[in-house]
Amino acid sequence: MRRSCMAALAVAAMATVVVPGVSAANTPDPLRWGACPEDTAAPGLECSTVRVPLSYQDPDGKQIDIAISRMASKNPAQRHGVLLTNPGGPGGAGLQFPTQLLDAGLPQTVQDTYDVIGIDPRGVGHSTPVTCDMTPEQMSRGNIPPYARSSADVVKRGEEAKLVAEQCASSESAWMLPHLSTANAARDMDRIREALGEEKISYHGASYGTHLGAVYSTLFPERTDRISLDSSVPPGGLDSEGGRLIGRGVQDRFPDFAKYAAAHPEHGLGSTPEEITAKYFELAERLDEKPQQGLDGALFRLVTFGHLYRDAQLPMLAELWKAIESNQPQPDPEVPPFQSDNSFASHLYTICNDADWSRSVPSYQADVEVDRIRYPMFGAATANIRPCAFWPSAPVEPPVQVGDRGPSNVLMVQNLRDPATPLAGAEKLRDALGRRARIVTADQGGHGAYLYGANQCANDTVTTFLTTGQRPAQDRACAAESA
């Protein structure tokens, strides 16, 4: 399918608590910019490496590499500073993100205002990488557990998740297990700031990148300039609560697809949104009982979720449903999983270290039962058990409590109907940031509001903030706009 850990080794948790926001004792070496790795090279993009401590409790100890890229401002007279970026994940490589933003239509005024900085976070891509020795089959269904129809399905998934945790614990990068976390990624960002010679940084993060931005803004509030958060997760990031909210996101977003499919009778799926919704459950149950061309009910639900990310994917989803309905050859479905062992492993290392996950299988069985009713389309998947329940190391520090201490310089932008980071989670982050933040909501669906959405009101509000620092005096609601 295409596409956007105990074992013998047990890693003990460190007892010392990291002092939040404390910089390392040594200063980063001066940056040497040069050509980017071949798989990330792009016109105007240059790359470098920053050395950072593996453990910020031992800043003079073992060091690891953080790969960064730069799309430099071509208008020095207008340059305001640096804009660090993160595309999401965790596990998403970011060296190419400046180029991807340009391809998505990043306004020239923003390009002139900043050196746009991409980062492969610790453990990811061209930074010192981690692995869990994942097989193609283990990666084929992505980072969301399969839909559980029963408590027995949770037990079965638990066995699979435990094996993944054991693989992570016995991998060649297991020495990094306790040290990949959002807090440490934020501290790495501050080391990047130092290496760049900047007193403050601006930031644009999407999806999970909003959690990284919120944590940085909490640990280093006085070193923040303009913080832009697009499609936000809750204050706790992608812990159990944040993951389960994806079930809510599918419920929020699916009516957009139902409306599209009902308005296009050529797909033959139904003539009303209610009929399309009923068809979803009909097809899922049919495939639960009898998979078709390698597609079972759990994968059907996952593929449907993945196609809800962009309006442009809705016709493809309808064609897939049509092929299933008529038992015809299916178009190759786009699953929203990870494309490599490294991206999957770094995702797990981070989310499992960011929170203290339940280790009780019955607790996940109870969550699945609740969310099967609360979010019937996808909740029994997003509440299902993950490898974090069997993780071989406990968090080395408590989660960072995102709060409102610091300058009022955060702008959040959010679609009303986001399948992956629903408005309900973004509103919790907005509450946690308090006076520091404003939120702009766009009456549109899909994952990603700025540039990836068509709402000009929302796009213009973010561009104005990034180029001038000016935000709305109050939270803003942008009405729906015709295509």
Side-chain angles (χ1 to χ4, degrees), residues 13 30 76-77 80 89 95 101 189-190 209 217 220 234 259 341 362 396 403 433 469:
H80 174 76
L95 287 188
L101 288 172
M189 282 172 50
D190 203 56
S217 299
F220 304 99
K259 182 178 178 180
D341 163 70
V396 300
L433 289 169

Side-chain angles (χ1 to χ4, degrees), residues 137-153:
E137 174 62 24
Q138 287 173 320
M139 293 185 290
S140 66
R141 299 196 174 210
N143 60 316
I144 295 177
Y147 186 93
R149 293 186 292 162
S150 66
S151 292
D153 283 350

Side-chain angles (χ1 to χ4, degrees), residues 60-71:
D60 294 316
K62 187 175 182 63
Q63 306 288 295
I64 59 174
D65 290 337
I66 305 298
I68 66 173
S69 63
R70 177 176 70 176
M71 186 73 71

Side-chain angles (χ1 to χ4, degrees), residues 110-188:
V110 179
Q111 299 177 47
D112 290 342
T113 302
Y114 299 102
D115 294 343
V116 183
I117 307 297
I119 307 169
D120 277 359
R122 61 169 54 205
V124 178
H126 293 282
S127 297
T128 303
V130 295
T131 177
C132 286
D133 299 319
M134 304 284 287
T135 68
E137 174 62 24
Q138 287 173 320
M139 293 185 290
S140 66
R141 299 196 174 210
N143 60 316
I144 295 177
Y147 186 93
R149 293 186 292 162
S150 66
S151 292
D153 283 350
V154 180
V155 173
K156 180 177 183 293
R157 175 58 183 173
E159 295 169 352
E160 298 167 349
K162 184 177 181 181
L163 177 60
V164 172
E166 290 172 345
Q167 292 174 202
C168 295
S170 61
S171 73
E172 64 181 15
S173 62
W175 55 275
M176 293 180 67
L177 269 175
H179 304 294
L180 258 68
S181 66
T182 300
N184 278 342
R187 297 179 180 111
D188 294 344

Side-chain angles (χ1 to χ4, degrees), residues 83-87 96-107 110-111 116-117 204-206 230 450-452 466:
L83 181 72
L84 274 62
T85 62
N86 183 278
Q96 288 184 303
F97 197 40
T99 302
Q100 292 165 353
L101 288 172
L102 265 61
D103 291 343
L106 187 71
V110 179
Q111 299 177 47
V116 183
I117 307 297
H204 177 73
D230 182 355
Y450 182 56
L451 305 181
Y452 295 94
L466 289 174

Side-chain angles (χ1 to χ4, degrees), residues 450-466:
Y450 182 56
L451 305 181
Y452 295 94
N455 190 288
Q456 199 62 44
C457 165
N459 287 336
D460 288 349
T461 302
V462 177
T463 296
T464 297
F465 172 64
L466 289 174

